[in-house]
Amino acid sequence: MLMSFNGENLYHDKVDTKYAQNEITTWVYREINPTHLMSVQFPEHLKTSNLFIARERLRRLMKSFEYYLIGRYWYAVPVEFIAFAEHGMSTGWHFHIPMNLKNNPRTLEKFTEKQIDDALSSVWNTHKLNRYSLHMLKLEETPERAVNYCTKELTANKRLDIDSDRIITSRELFDLKPSPMKHMFNRVYKIENKGITQFALRGSVKQVV
């Protein structure tokens, strides 16, 4: 895949891409220890090849999900998640979203599967979606494999520059600043891996369409 960094065209490197994907998987797994994986596939009339429009539509859906799951003041202590944007061979963007739904961040009580299912049903009804457009998978075993699956479209070059626009934290999506996870990512990888800091701080590799 041809990529561009500061006007320079670069081909991604398979070895470095896999290394970067594994590093991101480790970061996500460490930050949120996901228990569920949500997938969002917009219906035909909402599909778009514009990532910014897709993010806005995702924001509306996830805002509703947080509201129905946590309640009126969900934005004070939202469920933390990290969304990965994918385009694939389709005509529009879709998202895979690892999240930890073990405990309610407001009450610290355990979520029940019924509470999660009821919140999903409410989002389906509110936004007139079907189960294919928005569904949830409980990660019974090896959740790190599910997270690694989310990184499959991320590519890196020899400098480990990748497109960080495809990775969206919950606080970034809802504009709830600062984002502890992005701050932690910057701090951890600045120390542990100089190359990956380019992802955290610059993240400006763009696909050439």
Side-chain angles (χ1 to χ4, degrees):
M1 182 181 296
L2 187 63
M3 312 188 81
S4 172
F5 177 73
N6 290 343
E8 175 188 359
N9 290 336
L10 304 164
Y11 284 93
H12 78 265
D13 183 271
K14 290 183 179 180
V15 174
D16 292 310
T17 287
K18 190 61 180 176
Y19 176 78
Q21 290 172 346
N22 290 338
E23 289 288 284
I24 294 166
T25 296
T26 299
W27 167 64
V28 173
Y29 187 67
R30 178 168 57 220
E31 289 303 308
I32 62 177
N33 190 18
T35 61
H36 292 73
L37 178 67
M38 177 186 286
S39 293
V40 176
Q41 181 76 258
F42 297 114
E44 287 298 325
H45 68 286
L46 291 177
K47 283 185 178 180
T48 176
S49 58
N50 185 309
L51 180 56
F52 295 102
I53 294 175
R55 280 181 56 149
E56 175 58 22
R57 289 173 179 169
L58 177 69
R59 185 189 68 80
R60 295 174 186 173
L61 290 182
M62 298 309 295
K63 182 178 179 180
S64 294
F65 178 71
E66 297 267 4
Y67 172 79
Y68 289 123
L69 186 64
I70 299 176
R72 183 177 179 182
Y73 299 108
W74 62 268
Y75 51 83
V77 278
V79 167
E80 301 281 5
F81 59 79
I82 301 175
F84 291 82
E86 291 188 358
H87 200 283
M89 302 298 292
S90 67
T91 58
W93 290 95
H94 63 277
F95 299 88
H96 297 296
I97 311 170
M99 59 181 66
N100 188 317
L101 296 179
K102 184 176 181 180
N103 297 319
N104 186 319
R106 287 187 63 189
T107 66
L108 300 183
E109 296 177 353
K110 289 184 178 297
F111 283 123
T112 66
E113 290 303 312
K114 184 179 185 306
Q115 287 175 315
I116 296 171
D117 289 342
D118 287 348
L120 282 175
S121 295
S122 296
V123 176
W124 293 333
N125 294 332
T126 299
H127 295 273
K128 296 179 173 56
L129 300 175
N130 55 41
R131 292 175 181 267
Y132 174 75
S133 297
L134 178 67
H135 64 274
M136 187 81 74
L137 174 66
K138 186 175 181 181
L139 303 177
E140 301 283 0
E141 299 178 358
T142 59
E144 62 275 10
R145 291 182 62 184
V147 175
N148 195 250
Y149 171 81
C150 297
T151 69
K152 65 183 181 295
E153 285 195 9
L154 298 177
T155 55
N157 58 31
K158 287 292 185 182
R159 296 198 298 262
L160 293 184
D161 302 313
I162 68 174
D163 188 356
S164 60
D165 288 345
R166 285 174 174 251
I167 303 175
I168 312 158
T169 68
S170 50
R171 289 182 174 270
E172 180 183 359
L173 184 66
F174 300 134
D175 199 26
L176 301 175
K177 298 178 180 179
S179 173
M181 287 186 291
K182 274 291 180 74
H183 171 73
M184 181 62 71
F185 186 90
N186 291 351
R187 184 173 64 82
V188 168
Y189 285 102
K190 184 175 182 180
I191 295 172
E192 295 182 0
N193 187 305
K194 185 176 180 181
I196 206 72
T197 304
Q198 296 175 359
F199 159 76
L201 300 180
R202 291 199 310 228
S204 54
V205 172
K206 305 296 181 184
Q207 294 183 19
V208 177
V209 180

